[in-house]
Amino acid sequence: MKTAVSGLEKEFPGDVKTKNLNAKKSRSQRVIKEAGFQTHGLIIRNAKGEIVWKQADHTVRMDEVREAIRKLLDQNSAGS
């Protein structure tokens, strides 16, 4: 999963920045709680740092992540 997430920067150059957190580290627990995850998951944040999309734990599907990114980028370009 970590490699797939990191690959999003190459798929969406200049539009996506990725960051992997170790869910087992205590400093990551705030993020996990904020997102409502049991143990881990994937979050998409906007430029302001607000959570705009998420999938929890073992339900993360990269095809759905890519689709969410495309929709968000389309919305942002339409609003510009």
Side-chain angles (χ1 to χ4, degrees), residues 8 11-12 16 42 44 52-53 55 61-75:
L8 293 171
E11 285 186 56
F12 301 94
V16 172
L42 189 141
I44 298 175
V52 295
W53 189 91
Q55 274 188 339
R61 296 179 44 90
M62 290 308 296
D63 57 331
E64 293 176 14
V65 173
R66 288 180 186 91
E67 183 60 27
I69 291 170
R70 286 185 198 97
K71 285 181 181 179
L72 292 165
L73 291 173
D74 287 346
Q75 288 172 359

Side-chain angles (χ1 to χ4, degrees), residues 21-61:
L21 300 178
N22 183 339
K24 295 180 182 178
K25 299 283 185 177
S26 60
R27 64 180 176 258
S28 301
Q29 294 302 306
R30 182 187 58 77
V31 176
I32 292 167
K33 185 176 181 178
E34 174 190 16
F37 297 155
Q38 296 270 331
T39 58
H40 62 280
L42 189 141
I43 297 171
I44 298 175
R45 295 181 184 269
N46 62 18
K48 296 178 186 176
E50 302 162 330
I51 295 174
V52 295
W53 189 91
K54 62 185 179 176
Q55 274 188 339
D57 307 306
H58 295 283
T59 65
V60 175
R61 296 179 44 90

